[in-house]
């Protein structure tokens, strides 16, 4: 089969690799119909995730059809259309029993496209299939469903739930890329008073407005002052970091109110300074997290009911074998206007509402 293979920092190719096969009785093999590219994949290509070995097939999000299952798989069978989760769960370790699947110690967690071959391929082997794939309702289109493999549960769990968004809150989201936009839409489920989006790209700020942000700010123009003006100098109740660079994390800590929450979502490849000389007295809660995907069934039901604006985040689609071109478009988002790129299915471009 063909797959997108990581060969070391800055080196990758769409190349021929061996077909995957069932190795364990809990495995499933999925024929990939649609995949997407994550910001984490860009971090891998930069060398920010050294655990990824050369020769690894990238990708941890997909929609496809089950073609083979191991003898212990009970919940899916060949022919089923499924969502492949970015997180695999053994279901037996102490973390999985608590719903913390991202921290699985039984061979799961974030392994696809990280520790084993991933989803940016024609076929993928999925370990622990009973808990790591989700049957898809026929009403959810593949290009919409694939956004529920990672960005929506990540934004919802690591951003909104960890940040403890409540009715009446002022919420600031730093970074209006796909994760930040998903955080804006899912934060609004909790009826905050206002949501502010911060980014460098005008097109992404417009997308944030279209998806429910009440105010937007250019990151170069002192957004902490805007937050102060909107909150009588107090600061935001919840600030979410959705970029993954030191400057944006430190900005978040300057924007949060005393007693507020900073929820870090971004993938960081280098250290950030924690200014405890300012924060120690403010009763601030800072959370980090790898998504657990415990919310995926709920989000799937909401998507099927039309309650999540998934389609508005898909700006570019490509055939599956145009992986290098899709990576280039996604990596140059400031020039291309890309939010999420989806490979597979019908080929067309969708304008984000309001841009």
């Amino acid at each position: 089969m063909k797959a997108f293979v990581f060969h070391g920092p800055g080196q990758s190719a769409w190349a021929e690799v061996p077909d995957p096969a069932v190795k364990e009785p809990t495995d499933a093999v999925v024929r990939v119909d649609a995949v997407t590219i994550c910001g984490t994949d860009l971090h891998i290509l930069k060398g920010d995730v050294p655990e990824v070995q050369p020769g690894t097939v990238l990708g941890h999000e997909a929609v496809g059809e089950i073609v083979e299952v191991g003898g212990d798989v009970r919940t899916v069978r060949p022919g089923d259309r499924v969502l492949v989760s970015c997180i695999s769960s053994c279901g037996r370790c102490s973390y999985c029993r608590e719903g913390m699947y991202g921290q699985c110690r039984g061979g799961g967690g974030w392994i696809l496209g990280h520790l084993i071959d991933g989803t940016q391929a024609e076929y993928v082997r999925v370990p622990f299939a009973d808990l790591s794939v989700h049957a898809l309702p026929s009403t959810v289109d593949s290009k919409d469903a694939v956004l529920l493999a990672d960005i929506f549960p990540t934004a919802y769990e690591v951003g909104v739930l960890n940040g403890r968004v409540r009715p009446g809150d002022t919420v600031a989201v730093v970074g209006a890329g796909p994760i930040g936009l998903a955080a804006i839409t899912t934060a609004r489920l909790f009826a905050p008073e206002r949501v502010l989006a911060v980014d460098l790209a005008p097109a992404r700020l417009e997308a944030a407005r279209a998806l429910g942000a009440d105010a937007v700010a250019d990151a170069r123009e002192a957004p902490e002052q805007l937050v102060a003006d909107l909150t009588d100098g107090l600061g935001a109740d919840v600030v979410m970091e959705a970029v993954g660079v030191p400057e944006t994390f430190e900005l978040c800590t300057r924007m949060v109110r005393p007693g507020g929450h900073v929820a870090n979502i971004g993938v960081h490849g280098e250290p950030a300074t924690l200014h405890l000389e300012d924060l120690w007295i403010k009763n601030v809660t800072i959370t980090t997290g790898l998504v657990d995907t415990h919310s995926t069934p709920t989000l799937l039901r909401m998507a099927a009911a039309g309650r999540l604006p998934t389609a508005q985040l898909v700006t570019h689609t490509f055939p599956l074998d145009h992986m290098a071109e899709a990576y280039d478009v996604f990596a140059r988002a400031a020039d291309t206007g890309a939010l999420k790129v989806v490979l597979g299915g019908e080929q067309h471009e969708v304008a984000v509402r309001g841009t």
Side-chain angles (χ1 to χ4, degrees):
M1 70 169 186
K2 291 291 186 70
F4 193 68
V5 183
F6 172 71
H7 291 298
Q11 301 177 60
S12 58
W14 179 255
E16 191 168 301
V17 299
D19 292 345
V22 167
K23 293 182 179 179
E24 302 291 340
T26 53
D27 289 350
V29 174
V30 176
R31 187 198 71 219
V32 173
D33 294 331
V35 297
T36 184
I37 300 170
C38 180
T40 304
D41 296 321
L42 299 182
H43 281 280
I44 292 171
L45 287 177
K46 288 170 58 182
D48 289 344
V49 189
E51 299 86 5
V52 182
Q53 296 298 306
T56 301
V57 176
L58 295 185
H60 49 266
E61 307 154 272
V63 169
E65 182 181 312
I66 300 284
V67 296
E68 185 181 3
V69 297
D72 289 349
V73 176
R74 296 289 181 265
T75 60
V76 291
R77 60 185 181 180
D80 286 351
R81 179 170 170 261
V82 296
L83 171 70
V84 178
S85 175
C86 66
I87 297 295
S88 303
S89 167
C90 79
R92 296 181 177 181
C93 72
S94 60
Y95 283 105
C96 286
R97 287 175 180 271
E98 295 177 11
M100 298 175 64
Y101 309 131
Q103 304 302 322
C104 174
R105 290 299 182 266
W110 174 37
I111 55 174
L112 291 172
H114 180 207
L115 304 179
I116 67 172
D117 286 338
T119 59
Q120 290 171 3
E122 294 174 327
Y123 294 86
V124 58
R125 179 180 73 91
V126 183
F128 310 115
D130 279 330
L131 291 172
S132 305
V133 301
H134 301 269
L136 281 177
S138 60
T139 54
V140 181
D141 186 89
S142 292
K143 76 176 188 305
D144 299 332
V146 75
L147 302 192
L148 302 178
D150 186 352
I151 68 164
F152 270 91
T154 294
Y156 181 60
E157 294 175 20
V158 184
V160 176
L161 297 184
N162 280 2
R164 298 185 183 178
V165 176
R166 297 176 300 181
D169 277 354
T170 292
V171 176
V173 179
V174 178
I179 289 285
L181 294 173
I184 290 167
T185 61
T186 52
R188 295 200 64 84
L189 298 174
F190 290 81
E193 180 182 357
R194 62 176 68 90
V195 178
L196 168 71
V198 179
D199 203 280
L200 294 170
R204 290 193 165 188
L205 293 177
E206 284 300 313
R209 282 192 184 277
L211 288 165
D214 301 289
V216 299
D218 189 309
R220 293 161 294 205
E221 298 178 0
E224 58 264 52
Q225 185 58 53
L226 176 58
V227 170
D229 292 343
L230 291 171
T231 60
D232 296 323
L234 193 60
D237 300 279
V238 181
V239 187
M240 302 182 206
E241 199 284 338
V243 181
V245 298
E247 294 80 6
T248 51
F249 174 78
E250 294 167 29
L251 172 62
C252 289
T253 63
R254 297 195 299 271
M255 296 171 69
V256 68
R257 68 165 175 85
H261 289 74
V262 175
N264 184 88
I265 314 172
V267 177
H268 289 263
E270 55 187 87
T273 301
L274 181 63
H275 289 282
L276 285 175
E277 74 277 13
D278 299 322
L279 295 171
W280 73 270
I281 201 170
K282 294 178 68 175
N283 292 27
V284 170
T285 299
I286 298 175
T287 56
T288 65
L290 174 65
V291 64
D292 293 311
T293 65
H294 61 73
S295 67
T296 301
T298 298
L299 295 172
L300 271 172
R301 291 195 300 272
M302 294 183 67
R307 297 293 303 276
L308 291 178
T310 50
Q312 290 177 249
L313 273 71
V314 178
T315 53
H316 297 74
T317 61
F318 299 88
L320 188 61
D321 60 357
H322 286 217
M323 195 69 68
E325 180 185 356
Y327 262 89
D328 178 65
V329 168
F330 185 61
R332 296 187 300 106
D335 300 322
T336 63
L339 294 176
K340 287 301 282 184
V341 301
V342 173
L343 296 99
E346 293 184 2
Q347 309 310 314
H348 60 276
E349 295 190 3
V350 181
V352 177
R353 189 182 305 167
T355 63

